[in-house]
Amino acid sequence: MRVRCVFFVAVLFLSFLYSCHKGLEFNLRPVELKTESAHEPLGIDNPNPRFSWLIEASGPSTAQLAYRIMVASTRQLLEDDMGDIWDSGMVQNPENIFIPYNGIALSSGSQYFWKVKIWDTKDRESDWSQTASWTMGLLNPSDWKAKWIGLDRAIGNDKPEIDKTRLSARYLRKEISVSKEVRKATASVCGLGLFELYVNGAKIGDQVLAPALSEYDKRAYYLTFDLTEHVIKGQNALGVILGNGRFFAPRKTTPMPMTTYSFPKLIFQLKVVYADGTAETFVSDETWQLTANGPVVANNEYDGEEYDATKEFPGWNAAGFDDSNWMPAELVNLGAPKLNAQPLAPIVVKETLKPIEVKEVSPGVYVYDMGQNLVGWARLNVQGARGTTVKMRFSEALKPDGNLYLDNIRGANVTDLYTLRGEGVEVYEPRFTYHGFRFVELTGFPGKPDLSTLEGRVVYDDLELTGSFETSDSTINAIYKNAYWGIRGNYRSIPTDCPQRDERHGWLGDRALGSKGESFIFDVSRLYAKWMQDIEDAQREDGCLPDVAPSYWKVYSDNITWPAAYPIITEMLYDQYGMMAPIKDHYDSFRKWVLYMKTNYLKENILVKDTYGDWCMPPESQELIHSQDPSRKTSGEVLSTTYYYHILSMMQKFAGLLNKPDHGAEYKQLADSIYKAYNDKFFNQELKYYSNNTATANLLSLAYGLVPEVYKHAVSDNIAEKTMTDFNGHISTGLVGAQWIMRTLTKFGREDIAYRLVTNTDYPSWGYMVQNGATTIWELWNGNTADPAMNSRNHVMLLGDLVIWFYEDLAGIKSDPEVPGFRHIIMKPTLAGDLNFVKASFRSVRGMIRSEWTKDETSFDWEITIPSNTSATVYLPAKSRSGITESGERAGLNAGAKFLRVEEGRALFEVNSGTYQFSCPL
């Protein structure tokens, strides 16, 4: 009996040990598979798609040693471990982003399935990932069997000849007969300027304002739709509504001549694969029917949309509709010479806001406050008599009497009109316009509206939110929130300058270094890669680059600080996302521009061309837009020469990455000559400043490496002195200087001044905007008092490097420039001002990075998370190793954290992936 008990206890003990072992079993697997940086993309153009994945691991210090990718033509084959399209085999490579496909040639329009498994450096093998898929686009021009159709002329009440152009929406339909059971149905669609697609009465997709904007005389983008669940055996109806967008321009001449490419038009191609394996293709051609006499009687991105519900034709997009009074669609000129699959996610409604207040400011005039300056439109709920017209107008601000302030909207009408059909509760929101607004004026409403009458629809590109940021300072938090709203409100398949007035263009200078700050908040990799193509498409044959892309305004000023955004943002994509392709794709275009500028404007090694100066620096009077004081202005030759020198430095980097040593040597020789000429002309060796000693002149000289090493601290001292003495501790830069001021001050030990700039609440400052009710960022530091000709309340250009500073300096999250794409991370927080905590997270291309620190008078506590397959150098604010702990133990004792050294008041540790809790005395 006793032996049995002992045996039973032993069995229980062994079972317990086994269960503990199983519970602690190491988990390793690839997750979140992406093809061309997208989950399950439909329609991609790259014949060699690039694969990426994250690594999920249950333990620390996880690094990939090898991978194996398998691609198959069907899901079942892949589940049976049969990669009939490609099996990479085991490849010893630590990289887990942008792995190029290397199998047999892929077919247009085909769907493929893939999975991956990995091995780590501890010789552990993962299970296969879950299956991902993608669909190829139409890779060759000959794959398009469809024809461009539409109506290349005005009709009815269209007025294309007036300055504020007026054009009705075009409705197109076609019925098709599907003879067999459907296995797969895929449509490729481009409707210019904008389109909505319907099949059998249902709107397809949640995209709005599609497709993406482009340089239409070079290319247009089409979208791919999986219609398998919509196309049925029997009779089917296809319907498309075409809006104007920017293809048919909202303006002819004011405030500047604007390009109109043509009237709206459509190309549509549907491939149906039947259950028996046969296939049939249905295309747009002259057998489609068209009318311009539908309920969208006018649409204009500046002026709004007019919708008359009494003109609706129920069932127009369903089978059996009588379209005998419609006209045949006409074959029209090409919408664009080249069609590409849209390379970024479309615009969608991202959020719906409820108004916080409604006031009747005069009889029948109601003003709604959405509580937030947003971009999109209002959704109206209304019930009333047929033929009643309700008007909505939009503004960012109010007059003192409570009415809309519209002066800064300039020539935009910003008005949506809805005429009721008179049948129960009607819900309306526009299709082919958008507004930048906080306030909505409602007139003509039948009865008395309430807070349920309107909702605000927040609209922008479907970008993944990647960052979060919070501190102990309420002003900083409010500025960050304003930046977040302003940044996302200015995404419209391009980064725009403003969303509310008669402009809304992709000005290059506005987003140069600011794009890097945006990359911490959103995954902007595909959006900016696409915009780089827009810029190249707008480049002139002689090499000149535009100031605006797409070039709907033909502005080619050769102001180098604007086009410089082209290589600067390309470098950002490499540094932040590890994207090499944009450098390869655009290098020849960069070089063409660099040589063009040299030939035309480099005089005695000084670049002499500048147009805009340090745009929108704080003027001497709060009523001015631009300063008239020469002492505040930075020399155009300083701006252009420092930028050109910086571009040559980038070109040396790009040439090295592309193995073009001769080009690299050429750029270096030219840069060396400019370095000498610039310092000879502009450096005051006695007083240690550049030009007339503006903060911007000194900032750019330092930031771009033009200051001799021996003078760097003296030059930075002049920035500090200028800021604190001449401007009383306030910012003195415009768009250009603001791109470097926060980081440069911090780099040279003046984080106290940087902190003062960001926490100021009087003019000029970001906090001043907050104090004056801003919920986004203004175009001008004095945006509430300056001439309304240029005082947008929703701009991002004056953010400069502020968001970069929030993440890289305050939170201490930075990609090592020597190992791009956050493969190696620099964790180096700045303890600025009286902040006692900073909490930030950033979902990098390699996984989640977290930094949360707190401090008091005696200690600093910091929790960090480093994603798998990366490492980090951690900088703790400690003058020695003594007293530093990690998870309660002396730091550096565990395998994941290795003490390196102490330098410049920081204790350095090297850490592998994992979560760490550091503490150190202050």
Side-chain angles (χ1 to χ4, degrees):
M1 182 72 179
R2 185 176 179 182
V3 172
R4 286 183 178 179
C5 289
V6 170
F7 177 77
F8 181 67
V9 170
V11 170
L12 286 175
F13 181 68
L14 289 173
S15 298
F16 172 73
L17 289 178
Y18 179 74
S19 66
C20 288
H21 169 72
K22 292 295 287 182
L24 295 175
E25 191 172 89
F26 185 82
N27 175 53
L28 175 71
R29 62 173 183 151
V31 296
E32 298 195 30
L33 277 60
K34 290 185 177 181
T35 309
E36 289 296 293
S37 300
H39 293 289
E40 309 282 327
L42 294 177
I44 60 174
D45 275 348
N46 189 345
N48 296 100
R50 292 159 295 188
F51 304 121
S52 303
W53 57 88
L54 300 183
I55 298 171
E56 187 177 89
S58 57
S61 302
T62 301
Q64 178 181 296
L65 174 68
Y67 64 79
R68 180 185 176 189
I69 297 172
M70 192 177 288
V71 180
S73 57
T74 70
R75 189 178 296 273
Q76 186 58 55
L77 282 171
L78 200 65
E79 289 176 357
D80 294 338
D81 291 343
M82 297 178 64
D84 63 323
I85 303 300
W86 183 45
D87 187 339
S88 71
M90 182 180 177
V91 179
Q92 288 205 357
N93 185 341
E95 192 55 86
N96 62 309
I97 62 172
F98 302 121
I99 305 300
Y101 169 81
N102 194 28
I104 63 175
L106 301 173
S107 300
S108 285
S110 296
Q111 185 177 23
Y112 297 98
F113 303 86
W114 72 285
K115 62 182 180 179
V116 61
K117 68 162 46 180
I118 63 170
W119 291 260
D120 72 2
T121 53
K122 298 175 183 176
D123 202 29
R124 292 177 291 214
E125 180 180 351
S126 76
D127 291 333
W128 284 105
S129 68
Q130 293 185 346
T131 297
S133 70
W134 83 92
T135 301
M136 296 302 294
L138 302 180
L139 300 177
N140 306 300
S142 60
D143 293 328
W144 284 95
K145 309 304 180 186
K147 302 173 182 178
W148 284 98
I149 62 172
L151 189 66
D152 267 350
R153 64 181 189 275
I155 192 171
N157 292 319
D158 294 344
K159 296 179 180 178
E161 73 284 354
I162 65 175
D163 190 48
K164 293 186 176 183
T165 58
R166 180 182 176 88
L167 201 70
S168 57
R170 275 63 169 135
Y171 290 73
L172 297 105
R173 71 181 309 274
K174 169 75 175 179
E175 292 195 23
I176 61 173
S177 180
V178 174
S179 58
K180 307 174 187 178
E181 295 296 328
V182 176
R183 178 195 298 170
K184 189 76 174 176
T186 306
S188 303
V189 188
C190 177
L192 299 176
L194 305 171
F195 76 92
E196 285 190 347
L197 171 65
Y198 295 82
V199 176
N200 294 328
K203 181 180 182 292
I204 304 302
D206 61 355
Q207 73 284 342
V208 298
L209 300 175
L213 300 173
S214 63
E215 192 81 13
Y216 296 117
D217 57 4
K218 296 291 179 63
R219 78 184 70 236
Y221 294 108
Y222 68 91
L223 275 69
T224 302
F225 299 94
D226 185 345
L227 301 183
T228 306
E229 300 300 318
H230 298 275
V231 176
I232 61 174
K233 181 180 178 181
Q235 201 71 1
N236 292 260
L238 310 172
V240 175
I241 313 175
L242 295 178
N244 303 328
R246 297 300 180 89
F247 189 69
F248 183 84
R251 287 292 181 276
K252 292 183 73 68
T253 60
T254 56
M256 192 178 294
M258 194 170 183
T259 304
T260 282
Y261 295 87
S262 187
F263 290 85
K265 54 193 62 180
L266 168 71
I267 189 167
F268 173 98
Q269 186 158 310
L270 169 65
K271 181 179 181 181
V272 178
V273 179
Y274 296 120
D276 63 5
T278 61
E280 190 171 3
T281 299
F282 303 91
V283 301
S284 53
D285 58 22
E286 59 269 46
T287 66
W288 285 53
Q289 294 290 99
L290 178 149
T291 184
N293 192 32
V296 180
V297 298
N299 65 101
N300 183 301
E301 289 198 358
Y302 294 164
D303 297 330
E305 181 177 290
E306 298 178 29
Y307 189 94
D308 185 348
T310 68
K311 297 171 71 68
E312 290 178 342
F313 18 67
W316 73 274
N317 48 24
F321 176 76
D322 180 6
D323 59 12
S324 58
N325 63 340
W326 291 31
M327 62 188 297
E330 299 179 3
L331 298 183
V332 294
N333 294 327
L334 295 180
K338 187 174 184 180
L339 281 170
N340 285 114
Q342 182 162 311
L344 73 165
I347 301 167
V348 297
V349 177
K350 296 288 288 185
E351 189 175 346
T352 301
L353 295 185
K354 304 289 186 183
I356 62 172
E357 186 179 44
V358 57
K359 289 183 178 180
E360 188 173 13
V361 296
S362 60
V365 179
Y366 301 89
V367 173
Y368 283 79
D369 182 357
M370 305 307 300
Q372 171 65 52
N373 197 353
L374 63 101
V375 178
W377 49 74
R379 181 162 61 186
L380 171 69
N381 296 277
V382 61
Q383 185 171 4
R386 182 178 178 85
T388 301
T389 298
V390 179
K391 181 165 79 170
M392 294 176 285
R393 290 199 304 167
F394 302 83
S395 77
E396 298 182 298
L398 298 178
K399 296 178 181 178
D401 64 3
N403 284 291
L404 300 187
Y405 173 76
L406 293 168
D407 291 356
N408 72 327
I409 305 298
R410 299 196 308 214
N413 289 344
V414 295
T415 301
D416 293 339
L417 298 175
Y418 178 73
T419 300
L420 280 66
R421 75 178 73 89
E423 299 174 2
V425 177
E426 303 177 40
V427 179
Y428 165 72
E429 54 186 306
R431 291 171 169 84
F432 301 131
T433 193
Y434 69 99
H435 308 284
F437 67 100
R438 174 173 174 171
F439 301 97
V440 186
E441 178 195 83
L442 183 68
T443 56
F445 188 84
K448 188 175 179 63
D450 58 24
L451 289 177
S452 67
T453 299
L454 290 183
E455 296 173 302
R457 303 280 271 170
V458 181
V459 174
Y460 59 99
D461 293 272
D462 193 11
L463 302 174
E464 178 187 353
L465 182 67
T466 54
S468 68
F469 180 82
E470 182 185 5
T471 75
S472 57
D473 186 90
S474 60
T475 298
I476 291 177
N477 295 340
I479 293 168
Y480 180 82
K481 182 182 177 183
N482 288 3
Y484 162 75
W485 275 95
I487 288 167
R488 68 175 182 160
N490 278 289
Y491 290 143
R492 195 252 183 266
S493 76
I494 61 171
T496 63
D497 64 325
C498 63
Q500 74 294 95
R501 67 190 183 206
D502 50 0
E503 191 164 353
R504 313 182 197 190
H505 289 299
W507 284 94
L508 273 66
D510 292 22
R511 302 308 259 271
L513 280 167
S515 65
K516 184 176 182 180
E518 296 166 34
S519 74
F520 284 103
I521 304 177
F522 297 100
D523 180 355
V524 294
S525 57
R526 290 192 291 159
L527 181 141
Y528 273 109
K530 177 264 182 189
W531 197 41
M532 298 303 94
Q533 186 62 57
D534 294 332
I535 296 170
E536 179 173 313
D537 285 348
Q539 185 175 31
R540 291 193 326 215
E541 283 299 315
D542 62 3
C544 176
L545 286 171
D547 295 356
V548 174
S551 61
Y552 304 142
W553 283 355
K554 301 299 183 187
V555 185
Y556 290 84
S557 73
D558 288 333
N559 177 79
I560 193 167
T561 53
W562 261 235
Y566 183 29
I568 287 171
I569 294 174
T570 301
E571 183 182 46
M572 179 278 290
L573 292 170
Y574 178 71
D575 290 345
Q576 294 293 95
Y577 296 100
M579 295 175 71
M580 185 66 186
I583 296 175
K584 293 179 181 176
D585 293 345
H586 301 291
Y587 176 82
D588 289 343
S589 176
F590 297 154
R591 179 170 172 81
K592 189 175 181 180
W593 174 59
V594 166
L595 296 180
Y596 166 84
M597 295 301 294
K598 174 187 173 184
T599 299
N600 289 279
Y601 302 113
L602 194 66
K603 311 297 182 187
E604 298 179 349
N605 291 313
I606 297 295
L607 204 80
V608 297
K609 185 72 168 82
D610 179 74
T611 304
Y612 303 124
D614 189 11
W615 188 251
C616 294
M617 58 90 61
E620 55 275 14
S621 167
Q622 284 189 241
E623 288 69 43
L624 293 173
I625 292 176
H626 300 296
S627 173
Q628 304 302 313
D629 181 355
S631 70
R632 291 172 174 250
K633 295 182 180 182
T634 302
S635 160
E637 291 187 356
V638 166
L639 297 173
S640 56
T641 306
T642 55
Y643 262 72
Y644 194 66
Y645 181 85
H646 178 54
I647 291 158
L648 290 171
S649 299
M650 280 190 288
M651 293 300 287
Q652 291 175 62
K653 175 180 175 179
F654 296 163
L657 290 169
L658 298 175
N659 193 27
K660 297 178 181 290
D662 292 347
H663 285 184
E666 177 187 349
Y667 302 137
K668 185 179 186 305
Q669 183 178 14
L670 181 56
D672 289 346
S673 299
I674 290 171
Y675 181 96
K676 182 179 186 306
Y678 179 79
N679 278 284
D680 286 348
K681 182 168 185 176
F682 293 112
F683 185 53
N684 186 318
Q685 194 155 350
E686 178 184 355
L687 299 176
K688 310 300 186 289
Y689 62 67
Y690 284 83
S691 189
N692 61 340
N693 195 31
T694 64
T696 294
N698 291 322
L699 280 166
L700 296 183
S701 302
L702 275 172
Y704 292 151
L706 281 153
V707 181
E709 187 67 35
V710 67
Y711 299 127
K712 285 183 177 179
H713 279 281
V715 172
S716 73
D717 287 344
N718 272 311
I719 299 171
E721 176 68 19
K722 173 69 68 172
T723 301
M724 297 305 296
T725 302
D726 291 7
F727 289 87
N728 192 30
H730 288 73
I731 197 161
S732 63
T733 69
L735 177 161
V736 177
Q739 296 182 58
W740 285 102
I741 190 165
M742 301 297 288
R743 290 175 295 160
T744 304
L745 284 168
T746 302
K747 179 180 179 180
F748 287 94
R750 296 313 305 265
E751 63 271 12
D752 59 324
I753 299 178
Y755 185 72
R756 176 164 176 173
L757 295 184
V758 76
T759 54
N760 281 331
T761 56
D762 56 339
Y763 174 81
S765 67
W766 300 286
Y768 173 76
M769 301 177 195
V770 172
Q771 287 294 108
N772 283 273
T775 59
T776 44
I777 302 298
W778 295 343
E779 181 177 19
L780 304 174
W781 297 109
N782 52 335
N784 60 331
T785 58
D787 189 305
M790 203 186 86
N791 63 356
S792 155
R793 302 293 181 93
N794 194 349
H795 251 67
V796 298
M797 65 184 190
L798 289 184
L799 281 169
D801 67 347
L802 182 61
V803 177
I804 308 174
W805 186 76
F806 284 161
Y807 280 91
E808 289 192 347
D809 290 279
L810 290 189
I813 300 172
K814 182 179 181 180
S815 182
D816 185 341
E818 300 300 318
V819 190
F822 290 89
R823 183 64 187 270
H824 184 258
I825 306 159
I826 305 297
M827 302 293 288
K828 188 178 181 181
T830 296
L831 279 58
D834 58 358
L835 288 178
N836 55 50
F837 79 80
V838 171
K839 296 179 180 179
S841 67
F842 169 54
R843 190 174 185 80
S844 74
V845 69
R846 300 185 189 274
M848 184 64 77
I849 304 169
R850 288 190 173 90
S851 171
E852 298 186 8
W853 61 259
T854 62
K855 75 176 182 71
D856 56 27
E857 293 180 356
T858 60
S859 64
F860 173 82
D861 298 300
W862 189 20
E863 181 173 310
I864 65 172
T865 297
I866 307 301
S868 296
N869 211 34
T870 70
S871 60
T873 303
V874 176
Y875 290 71
L876 286 159
K879 295 179 181 179
S880 73
R881 184 182 180 183
S882 176
I884 300 176
T885 63
E886 194 283 302
S887 298
E889 302 291 335
R890 186 185 181 206
L893 294 180
N894 65 49
K898 176 186 176 183
F899 174 71
L900 298 178
R901 62 189 178 276
V902 173
E903 68 177 31
E904 298 180 355
R906 301 268 188 163
L908 277 63
F909 291 81
E910 190 71 16
V911 303
N912 298 316
S913 65
T915 296
Y916 302 87
Q917 295 176 323
F918 287 99
S919 295
C920 68
L922 290 177

